[in-house]
Structure formats: C-alpha cells, structure tokens
Amino acid sequence: MTSLASVVSSSRARLFACFLRLGSQQASPLQLHTGASLAAKSHYEVLVLGGGSGGISMAARMKRRVGAENVAIVEPSETHFYQPIWTLVGAGAKPLSSSGRPTANVIPSGVEWIKARVVDLNPDKNCIHTDDDKKISYKYLIIALGIQLDYEKIKGLPEGFAHPKIGSNYSVRTVEKTWKALQDFKEGNAIFTFPNTPVKCAGAPQKIMYLSEAYFRKTGKRPKANIIFSTSLGAIFGVKKYADALQKIIQERSLTVNYKQNLIEVRADKQEAVFENLDKPGETQVISYEMLHVTPPMSPPDVLKTSPVADAAGWVDVDKDTLQHKRYPNVFGIGDCTNLPTSKTAAAVAAQSGILDRTISLIMKNQTPVKKYDGYTSCPLVTGYNRVILAEFNYNAEPLETFPFDQSKERLSMYLMKADMMPFLYWNLMLRGYWGGPAFLRKLFHLGKS
C-alpha cells in the first residue's frame, strides 16, 4: 500500500504544515508527567474529570490560569489515544501504535494525575467520589468524560468479535479486526452500520466504507463485493452541501445505502446481521456478510446518567453558548459527554476548549462570559486512500469552511491534513492548550472577502 510519505503534497498542504510548525514553536517544550504524587490532595481549585482530548486540553489551559499545583485530572486509563486516526488504522493506512501515548506523557507537568474512576458526582457539596473510596472537593469542576460504547446492546456482541470477518474502528480492541476482515474478504456482502443513538465522529461509519471500496478496487475484488451501508438515519449526512457530494460518490461507486435500518443482532458464527426497520418497528431483516463493520450504540457514561449534572437524557446539561452548567455555575462541560447540539468530534472539542477557557477565566473574576460557541465542528470525510471532503459546519448545519476553496470536493491536500497534519496538531498544540480551532485561519484565508 502506498505510504503517505511517498505522496507528493500540494502547495496548500506544505503551506499549512509550515504554519503549524511555527505555531508549535510558540508552545512550551513537552514535559513529561511522571505520575501521581505520594501526597495527593483532597481539594483542588480546578478538578477535571476525564483525561481524553477535552480533559487534557482544559487541564493545560487551567494550569496557566491557576497554577499546576491547583489542578488535578481524574482518569483511570494508562494510555491516551488519538482516536480519529483509527479510521485509517482500520483500513491499513496507519499502524495502531501511532495512535497512542502513555497518559503520563500527555498530562501537563505538575498537574496532579488521580489514577481512578469517578463513581459519584455531588455538585451540591462541590465534591466527587472515586472507585478507590476517595472524596475530592473542588472550587471549579470541568466534566470531560466522553461517551460510552454500548456494544452489549447489540445481541451477540461483544463476544461476536472473537469470530473472523467482523471489526469496529471505535475500539482499540477491535480496530485491527476491521483491517483483518478487509484483507480476508473474498466475495459477498460487506456491511457497514450506523446505530440509532448519538455517536462520536458521525462520519466514521461511512468513511471505512469508502476506504474498503477503494481497497477492493485496488486488490481486484470489487466485482465480487456488494457494499452496503445500513444506517438508522434518514439521510447520508446532516449538511446538505456535503450530503450532495457524498450521494454523487455513492452513485458513481455503486454503493447501496439502506436508510432507517438499525443493527440489533450479530450472529457471528453464521456471519449474519439482523436489522430492524425503524419505520416499521418489529420488522426485521437478516443479511449474510463476508465482512461486517459495526458502529456501536453509544450513550453518556453511566456515572453521569443519574447524576444531578445530567439532563433527562443523561448528558451534561450546559449552556450551548458558554459551556457553563445550567444549574451549577461552578461546573462546566466539554466534548462528547455534553448535550451541546453539534456533532461530537475532536475538532468540536478544540473549538470548545478555547471558548470554555475564556468562560472560566471570566467566571473566576466574577464577570459574565461574553464569548459564544457557534457549534463549530468538523468531519474530514475520507473517501479514499488519498482523498478527503472536509466538512465544517455550525449549530445550524451551515457550512463554516476554513479554506478559500470548495471543501465539498475530494482533495489530496485535505487527506494529508487528516492523515498527517491533524495528528501533529493534536499532540503538539491541542493537548498543550494552544489550539482552539481554526477560526483565526478562517479569517486569514478569507481576509478581504465579503
């Protein structure tokens, strides 16, 4: 398979790479966090729940606000993953090892790492409890607990992953199984699913479909592959401009899309997938597969579902403009665990981190937050091993594009940004609290335009 390094980048890609390098030179050198101190405190000015993209980014920003010794992160995982790259891992374009780093290496130096799991939130008493029976209090709380994968809500999973021909790019334990299933494909149905729940990176379930189709073409298997995208949704994408572009690709590549179909069971021993027709509840269809990619149902983390900070659906109930909690003024939310009405992506977290930083800084000064989050999110829709449609949009599902060209067109430059530049930006700028989204780039590229 052609490596990215052997692909000649466009002038725009080289220009953007140079810009990112300049930006990273403004960031402080990486200092490794070596683990929790022996004398962990029981109170912090800022307590961050979750060590994912939102939690680490906000801890870095809060360190600069109040000092490292006054910030702590509660996170049980030993490894931090850059999950957006798993789309390419599942297609064999990137190694899994490139996606992870020790959590200790990404927690800002001096910030306390509380290696435990949150089991209870008590915002009325400004404290939380962990699974090692510790009570930790705070002045300000940032909730960044991400989203929960619920494979078990599909009958036959997760145990079905022990069988061949089935994978999922949403878990570190199953992403390489996608690549194995792709390589082992001989002939028959290749099925890709989208569940009947909110998901993170809503474009990923179809990205692997386009990559698989490209792989089948490259290996001469395309004539023997019937490629099916079975989605619980009623449209291929939520923004018309990009949906139109994707529909054209679907037609040109002879892909089958079944709408309002929800995967409810996997019979991995028989290589069968069972779907329910959401327009006719109770009506099911059994489809045999030679390859199956599962996007699992997802939900708020269990600890949040019955917490006082949650809305009726279990998500952290925040103001969509400021990310401040609607009932607890010293509590804030960021990322996938919130009820912000925008797509749950790493790009959204980056934009939210800049807004939340300003919100908290003003709250700390007893001032009213003024900067508003516009719902910016981004989905690099990978349509092949060297092409991406870069979807960017806001709360109103209106395109909010960064570059001065039509981003609904497949481009090599946008693939290079997805595959190489975004990981660089993530590890070197975002996690250090120096990247709040591309708004300033948008202004730069569109300078002088009406």
Side-chain angles (χ1 to χ4, degrees), residues 41-44 46-50 72-75 114-145 303-304 307-309 330-331:
K41 299 189 297 184
S42 61
H43 178 83
Y44 295 88
V46 179
L47 183 63
V48 181
L49 305 184
I73 295 179
V74 182
E75 170 56 51
I114 301 170
K115 199 183 303 183
R117 188 178 303 276
V118 182
V119 294
D120 179 65
L121 285 77
N122 191 340
D124 293 301
K125 294 186 177 180
N126 296 319
C127 67
I128 63 106
H129 293 85
T130 60
D131 60 356
D132 56 358
D133 296 324
K134 298 286 177 60
K135 175 183 175 181
I136 306 165
S137 59
Y138 56 82
K139 185 174 182 181
Y140 303 100
L141 180 69
I142 299 174
I143 305 173
L145 289 172
V303 69
L304 292 178
S307 165
V309 302
N330 65 329
V331 175

Side-chain angles (χ1 to χ4, degrees), residues 26 89 92 110 118 120-121 123 126 134 142 170 234 237 239 268 270 328 332 334 350 428:
Q26 298 174 10
V89 173
V118 182
D120 179 65
L121 285 77
N126 296 319
K134 298 286 177 60
I142 299 174
Y170 277 87
F237 200 74
V239 181
K270 299 178 181 179
Y328 300 100
F332 308 86
I334 185 172
N428 293 283

